[in-house]
Amino acid sequence: MAPVPPFEEPGKTQPGVGGPVGLPNHTVTTPGEAARYLLGYLETQNRPFNAQIIADNMRGKIRKSLVETALLSLVQDNKITEKVFGKARVYWRRQDELEVATSEQLDSMRKQLEASKQQLAQDSAKVQKLSSDLKRAACELSDGELDAQLELLQEQVDWKNARLSELKASKVLITAADRAACEKQYKHLRGCWKKRKRLVRDALDQITMNMDKFTPKTLGEEIGIETDEDWNVQLGHDLI
């Protein structure tokens, strides 16, 4: 049998098919040349194909009708195996030409397979741990961000230490003018608070005066009014 001419793109994979796809470097036009290419292709792939998939994998270098003719010739020459499923025909290389592994070789391959599985499990566990460490590291601050955060916290500590030293020394921390301004603002805000609290109470009393279902307290709870008692606030008798 004449040798198969060199393939143009060895190692390429046809999407949805798998395996390398050997292409002639020119368009094949004769059944004999097509048969040589297809025989080499089937021997390399060692898996079943139908004529359409083979033609697709040839990417136009061998048209489908020539693929079918070449496959039929290879079957008649007993160079490949054909299986018919209704209208479908599937082709693959002759399996009796393949070297049969001995029992010792099979045992060796089983041991290699088991060792490979164990190694895969160990490697998978390492990859999972490294991925977890990488995600955790990505969430942490960088050295620059840590330095900036440390500097900010140190400034806060220094300020609070200085404030604590002033308090311990019993220094005057507020002027008389500032104290008077604070007391004036407090009295103003306290008056506003008392006025609004009284308005709310009066409104609730009037609304529930002729209602059997609600009291001022239950109506306030229904509409979401929060009271000082809800928050355990005690402002003194002068503010009630």
Side-chain angles (χ1 to χ4, degrees), residues 46-63:
N46 192 26
R47 54 174 294 180
F49 292 100
N50 61 27
Q52 183 62 59
I53 292 179
I54 294 177
D56 292 341
N57 289 348
M58 294 298 105
R59 302 180 186 178
K61 297 297 184 178
I62 306 178
R63 66 183 187 274

Side-chain angles (χ1 to χ4, degrees), residues 86-115:
K87 295 183 179 180
R89 296 176 180 270
V90 180
Y91 306 90
W92 61 90
R93 70 171 297 175
R94 288 180 52 180
Q95 300 299 295
D96 57 355
E97 296 178 346
L98 297 175
E99 181 181 356
V100 179
T102 64
S103 58
E104 291 79 7
Q105 291 174 324
L106 291 175
D107 290 339
S108 176
M109 286 188 285
R110 291 190 186 98
K111 292 178 181 179
Q112 292 177 6
L113 177 60
E114 185 62 28

